[in-house]
Amino acid sequence: MAIEKELKYIAKEGFEPLAIKKQEMIQGYLCSHHQGLNLTLRIRVAGDKAYLTIKGMPLEEDPSSRNEYEYEIPLTDAKEMLKMSLYPPIHKIRYWILWEGYTFEVDRFLGENEGLITAEVELSPGQDPPVNLPEWICAEVTGKGRYYNSALSRLPFKQWDSKRKSHYTSIQEQHNTIKEK
């Protein structure tokens, strides 16, 4: 069983110059938690590679951890499977940034999720969460479902109501104010 321990954050501009790599990705969901299932089944195309990923529900004892299995699959199969997605696939550019012994994966969303920037850091077994966060990290949102890609497929950022959008922007603005002091 593969356990993924991942922390999710709201991010803002300023990360791009630090990126060691970036790649455009498309991912679609064939089934997800919201259907009353205990798993999410995702297809991802990243460059000339494709993956099938099965993710379980967050673990009760640690909401940042869940079972995850990922398998490389033929690109042609993945492109066909994307057509079976429950909702329109997510389009994003992922940036990899090394920071004090951690690798942050920052997603700048495109299309219906344009304007949203999130970051994730996957922890190795026994590794503590980062203490010093980069200045472009605004707030941790681990466990807040609306920021997960499967949720963004169902309800894209551009369709969020004003309360949700203002919460996101207020986190970024508060972070800017704190950093300026």
Side-chain angles (χ1 to χ4, degrees):
M1 186 178 313
I3 302 278
E4 170 194 57
K5 183 170 179 73
E6 181 177 81
L7 303 174
K8 192 169 221 27
Y9 302 92
I10 291 174
K12 65 176 186 167
E13 296 297 336
F15 61 87
E16 280 190 58
L18 303 171
I20 59 168
K21 176 182 164 186
K22 73 178 187 177
Q23 184 169 50
E24 191 165 340
M25 297 180 173
I26 300 171
Q27 57 192 53
Y29 294 85
L30 302 181
C31 68
S32 71
H33 302 292
H34 85 283
Q35 297 172 300
L37 302 171
N38 289 327
L39 62 88
T40 297
L41 182 60
R42 176 186 76 200
I43 302 298
R44 175 184 283 163
V45 173
D48 62 353
K49 303 253 185 215
Y51 305 90
L52 171 70
T53 305
I54 303 162
K55 290 189 176 200
M57 294 289 287
L59 301 178
E60 201 171 295
E61 65 275 9
D62 180 6
S64 66
S65 297
R66 57 186 169 172
N67 295 322
E68 179 184 72
Y69 305 90
E70 186 166 82
Y71 307 96
E72 189 169 345
I73 61 173
L75 183 60
T76 54
D77 290 358
K79 288 181 178 180
E80 286 300 312
M81 285 187 234
L82 279 171
K83 294 175 186 175
M84 296 187 291
S85 295
L86 291 171
Y87 303 97
I90 299 282
H91 294 259
K92 63 186 179 180
I93 300 173
R94 173 162 287 172
Y95 300 80
W96 285 265
I97 299 167
L98 301 178
W99 181 265
E100 297 186 2
Y102 298 88
T103 301
F104 283 83
E105 296 176 353
V106 182
D107 290 338
R108 176 188 302 281
F109 290 89
L110 306 171
E112 286 299 301
N113 287 295
E114 189 169 347
L116 182 65
I117 303 172
T118 63
E120 299 172 349
V121 64
E122 192 167 324
L123 302 176
S124 302
Q127 185 179 27
D128 290 327
V131 176
N132 299 314
L133 294 171
E135 64 180 30
W136 39 266
I137 294 289
C138 300
E140 185 179 348
V141 291
T142 303
K144 301 218 184 306
R146 70 176 156 258
Y147 292 104
Y148 285 76
N149 288 274
S150 59
L152 292 169
S153 176
R154 289 190 313 275
L155 183 62
F157 182 67
K158 287 186 177 181
Q159 294 177 25
W160 285 11
D161 61 30
S162 58
K163 183 177 176 183
R164 278 189 177 190
K165 275 190 181 173
S166 68
H167 180 259
Y168 172 76
T169 54
S170 71
I171 288 172
Q172 289 183 316
E173 289 167 2
Q174 288 171 3
H175 181 75
N176 288 340
T177 302
I178 291 168
K179 289 294 180 184
E180 290 171 1
K181 290 183 179 181

